[in-house]
Amino acid sequence: MIVKEFAKKNPESLIGKAYRAAKEAHAGQKRKSSEPYFNHSIAAAQAIAEWNLDEQSIAAALLHDVIEDTSYSLEKIKEKFGEEVSFLVDGVTKIGKIKYRGIEAKAENLRKMILALSQDIRVILIKLADRLHNMRTLRALPPQKQKRIALETLEIYSPLAYRLGMQHLAGDLEDLAFPYIYPREYKWLIKTVKEKYDEREKYLKSAEPILRSELEKNEVSVIKTDYRAKRYYSLYKKLLRYDMDVEKIHDLVALRVIVPDISDCYAALGVVHKLWPPLPGRFKDYIALPKPNGYRSLHTTVFCIDGKITEIQIKTQEMHDEAENGIAAHWAYEEKKGHSDYLARKSITAGTKELAWVQQLRNWQREFSDPDEFMKSLKIDFFQDRIFAITPQGSVIDLPVGSTPVDFAYQIHSEIGDSASGAKVNGKIAPLDYQLKSGDVVEILTQKNKKPSGSWLKSVKTGSAKNRIKSAMRRGIKTIIGEKYSKTELRVICDDRIGLLKDIMSIISRSHINMNGVQTGRSGRFVTIKIGCEIIDKTKIEKLILKLKRAVKEIKEISYSLK
Ligand code: MN
């Protein structure tokens, strides 16, 4: 369905009315790219229509920016378009206010907060449609803004799309953000792999007919075969783990075989392995054991013609559609059972009880949800027992409902908890037993040599705060975390230059951290440096990593492990 055409042909439908109202509200407004603002609203709504969402969602997508950018009010939306559309627009407006500015360790909490605040998957999907168009038109914005939005897309929105199983969208968002975040690496990658992609595809084209005729001989039916080229950003991330050596990436281009049903998948696999010997340990059965986001397929790596190492993926058409479109594919399959007419179609909140992806989403958050309980609709209710409070620096802290500033303090760091003397919530002094709400900005006031108070035990909710208060009281000393670890190993991958190691080491020693051992290795133009450090506190390690990344621009990637 083309939203614009549909709206014009059906002016009295919900979509038709929303179209007119949004067009009028944005009249005269321009995007930074100098096109009419309303084009953005249409683009977002068009994506929503392509993902097969209901008419309420399409109307809400058309109206998604009117609250923030025009004089149109939420009350008016409710009055003209009903409770549901106004709920969706309100949700999108609320999420729009959350900004991510690159505190890596807390990106996951921010993703959870967005899910919790949206309350309904459709709100996130409208936000994703909005973000997709913003990324496609990012060129028009000033560089500073480009970077912030691209980073937020990479760290927050693309992972959310991926978790919803929308692999295609997640890949689009990543590849749109990539050149803004890592311009030099992007150029290097394009230059390095362009030829390799073509070379691999040509090679696979010679292997494909051999496989086809072998499948035919063995009476395995095939719907189609094609080639899957690895997306740029996903390749870049993989290269970081493989010494930046493209030769080590076997799935740069994979041969994909689509068959009618699951038994054909395994039959085809047998034929492949009889034809070309598999590389030991590389076969993955994502049909029996799907990935956490629901991805299903058989992957195998074989010594193909001329002994070239090649990845082959085998799946059904349905698995393929699901992998590309996730949640949207489920609606498409639901739709085949009827309701293809938008005017007659009911809200998708009804009758979509046992969608696999809802189950997958719940698995993802299993630590927060009761496994016996069944999710009945698209409502995101698995966060009803969690709240998300924010530090003055913008990190999101995830806590159980009823948590106090003391829980918050211990969540940041045990020493901050131990020495907490008071708290400010949203800029105002609050008691230490105050019950925090989602979105509260919390600042902890500390005093040197202060000890935890036993009375805190009555109000704290987290087990970790309770344990630390008790043990600090028992011993009369500050608690120590991670006693069993003696040191941390930092692993740094970077571009080489003279004096690089010295710079890295001086930053570490200036942070008053003892080092005990350095190892370097080289592969191509990249070096890997391993440094043993005497820090065991995760917050400190993460701070150090941020500091290093900011100060040494050659650094591509840092990871750490406790020894
Ligand atoms: Mn927008």
Side-chain angles (χ1 to χ4, degrees):
M1 167 177 93
I2 307 296
V3 172
K4 196 172 174 177
E5 282 172 13
F6 182 91
K8 289 196 168 154
K9 273 190 209 141
N10 303 277
E12 289 315 308
S13 68
L14 188 70
I15 294 170
K17 282 192 223 155
Y19 185 92
R20 282 202 309 281
K23 189 173 183 183
E24 229 166 83
H26 288 296
Q29 289 182 344
K30 293 237 148 75
R31 298 272 288 173
K32 281 274 182 324
S33 59
S34 81
E35 350 161 44
Y37 195 98
F38 187 52
N39 285 4
H40 166 69
S41 317
I42 299 175
Q46 188 57 42
I48 290 298
E50 271 151 32
W51 297 338
N52 286 296
L53 267 78
D54 55 352
E55 55 172 347
Q56 281 80 7
S57 306
I58 297 172
L62 285 165
L63 292 161
H64 82 270
D65 274 329
V66 301
I67 305 288
E68 200 59 14
D69 298 333
T70 77
S71 57
Y72 216 91
S73 73
L74 193 62
E75 288 69 47
K76 209 165 154 194
I77 292 183
K78 196 188 265 177
E79 189 193 303
K80 284 190 81 171
F81 303 99
E83 195 86 38
E84 214 172 325
V85 174
S86 87
F87 163 80
L88 295 172
V89 173
D90 188 34
V92 178
T93 308
K94 272 189 201 146
I95 310 180
K97 297 206 169 109
I98 303 170
K99 299 267 183 313
Y100 175 74
R101 294 178 195 279
I103 303 157
E104 271 171 67
K106 302 297 178 205
E108 177 64 8
N109 279 350
L110 194 59
R111 286 177 214 130
K112 286 179 192 163
M113 182 158 92
I114 287 171
L115 281 178
L117 283 179
S118 34
Q119 294 176 53
D120 188 310
I121 298 285
R122 291 174 297 172
V123 172
I124 299 170
L125 292 173
I126 297 169
K127 184 67 200 171
L128 289 170
D130 166 51
R131 180 51 57 105
L132 181 63
H133 185 253
N134 283 339
M135 287 306 296
R136 287 186 172 145
T137 51
L138 198 59
R139 228 170 305 126
L141 294 189
Q144 204 60 20
K145 252 190 152 172
Q146 287 176 341
K147 275 232 152 145
R148 190 193 70 72
I149 293 171
L151 184 69
E152 190 175 80
T153 301
L154 211 54
E155 295 289 333
I156 308 295
Y157 289 105
S158 163
L160 278 175
Y162 183 80
R163 299 257 167 94
L164 295 174
M166 302 172 86
Q167 233 162 211
H168 192 80
L169 173 65
D172 279 351
L173 290 172
E174 280 184 348
D175 282 356
L176 285 165
F178 186 20
Y180 292 98
I181 309 283
Y182 305 108
R184 278 176 51 220
E185 292 78 355
Y186 179 77
K187 271 186 211 142
W188 172 80
L189 190 81
I190 300 291
K191 218 177 94 203
T192 315
V193 301
K194 183 76 191 72
E195 265 175 43
K196 291 266 190 294
Y197 271 128
D198 297 345
E199 195 185 293
R200 293 295 290 166
E201 194 167 322
K202 217 170 128 200
Y203 168 77
L204 288 179
K205 274 189 181 146
S206 66
E208 189 251 17
I210 300 173
L211 176 61
R212 268 222 181 222
S213 80
E214 199 64 23
L215 287 166
E216 221 166 274
K217 247 188 261 162
N218 287 274
E219 287 170 355
V220 179
S221 35
V222 174
I223 294 177
K224 66 170 184 196
T225 52
D226 60 9
Y227 315 99
R228 188 286 280 130
K230 204 165 182 63
R231 307 291 293 256
Y232 286 134
Y233 186 66
S234 142
L235 173 63
Y236 174 70
K237 277 192 297 184
K238 194 162 187 177
L239 280 168
L240 287 174
R241 288 183 280 123
Y242 287 83
D243 308 317
M244 303 314 274
D245 183 354
V246 184
E247 294 303 321
K248 289 184 185 161
I249 310 295
H250 303 317
D251 65 341
L252 193 63
V253 182
L255 187 56
R256 192 157 52 191
V257 183
I258 312 281
V259 296
D261 56 45
I262 291 182
S263 60
D264 299 317
C265 291
Y266 291 98
L269 179 77
V271 173
V272 168
H273 282 181
K274 215 167 70 191
L275 183 63
W276 296 308
L279 210 70
R282 294 295 297 265
F283 166 61
K284 292 182 203 99
D285 186 347
Y286 294 124
I287 294 177
L289 299 163
K291 285 193 188 178
N293 72 346
Y295 179 81
R296 290 183 300 160
S297 179
L298 299 178
H299 287 194
T300 186
T301 306
V302 299
F303 295 98
C304 199
I305 19 175
D306 302 328
K308 269 208 179 196
I309 295 173
T310 302
E311 180 166 308
I312 297 176
Q313 305 182 347
I314 305 165
K315 60 183 86 171
T316 65
Q317 187 68 46
E318 189 175 351
M319 289 175 197
H320 177 60
D321 294 344
E322 269 181 30
E324 293 289 295
N325 300 318
I327 174 177
H330 284 283
W331 281 318
Y333 277 87
E334 286 282 301
E335 196 185 5
K336 278 189 194 153
K337 295 170 199 158
H339 304 308
S340 57
D341 177 4
Y342 266 90
L343 293 171
R345 217 164 129 197
K346 285 207 188 99
S347 160
I348 42 156
T349 43
T352 44
K353 263 186 279 177
E354 291 179 40
L355 290 181
W357 69 268
V358 176
Q359 205 51 46
Q360 287 144 21
L361 202 59
R362 288 174 62 79
N363 287 342
W364 166 41
Q365 288 305 340
R366 119 181 100 225
E367 71 256 49
F368 297 142
S369 54
D370 175 356
D372 298 330
E373 178 189 294
F374 242 85
M375 191 185 245
K376 290 177 197 73
S377 67
L378 296 172
K379 294 283 170 280
I380 299 169
D381 59 0
F382 44 73
F383 289 115
Q384 60 189 358
D385 49 353
R386 307 296 295 181
I387 60 139
F388 299 86
I390 308 166
T391 68
Q393 289 77 35
S395 306
V396 179
I397 307 291
D398 168 12
L399 296 161
V401 162
S403 287
T404 68
V406 175
D407 290 299
F408 182 89
Y410 276 108
Q411 207 63 34
I412 296 174
H413 194 282
S414 58
E415 278 180 30
I416 293 178
D418 286 346
S419 56
S421 63
K424 277 188 180 174
V425 177
N426 303 323
K428 285 189 205 126
I429 294 284
L432 283 174
D433 62 357
Y434 173 84
Q435 295 208 351
L436 296 171
K437 295 184 305 293
S438 261
D440 278 347
V441 177
V442 185
E443 185 184 345
I444 302 295
L445 311 170
T446 56
Q447 235 172 52
K448 260 200 177 159
N449 303 323
K450 172 124 183 3
K451 280 184 191 140
S453 152
S455 69
W456 291 353
L457 285 171
K458 274 184 260 156
S459 57
V460 296
K461 281 285 175 304
T462 52
S464 57
K466 274 182 197 156
N467 290 339
R468 278 166 190 168
I469 296 165
K470 278 185 202 156
S471 75
M473 284 170 50
R474 248 196 324 268
R475 290 189 229 155
I477 50 161
K478 282 178 184 170
T479 53
I480 295 164
I481 51 158
E483 279 161 336
K484 59 182 196 275
Y485 302 112
S486 62
K487 67 166 188 178
T488 297
E489 184 181 86
L490 286 180
R491 192 162 166 270
V492 187
I493 297 179
C494 38
D495 271 331
D496 202 6
R497 69 157 159 84
I498 293 165
L500 179 76
L501 188 61
K502 205 181 100 216
D503 287 354
I504 291 175
M505 289 175 73
S506 81
I507 290 165
I508 298 175
S509 76
R510 259 186 280 141
S511 310
H512 305 287
I513 292 159
N514 284 336
M515 283 168 278
N516 46 24
V518 177
Q519 252 183 305
T520 59
R522 172 179 303 275
S523 51
R525 52 177 280 231
F526 293 95
V527 271
T528 306
I529 305 172
K530 290 178 187 169
I531 306 169
C533 294
E534 287 175 1
I535 27 169
I536 50 170
D537 183 311
K538 279 200 180 164
T539 322
K540 276 191 193 154
I541 297 169
E542 273 152 16
K543 265 193 195 149
L544 175 66
I545 289 177
L546 268 184
K547 208 190 261 182
L548 285 166
K549 277 192 179 167
R550 281 201 196 115
V552 185
K553 61 178 193 312
E554 286 83 1
I555 292 179
K556 300 291 162 216
E557 172 89 345
I558 308 185
S559 55
Y560 70 88
S561 53
L562 296 166
K563 296 267 139 139

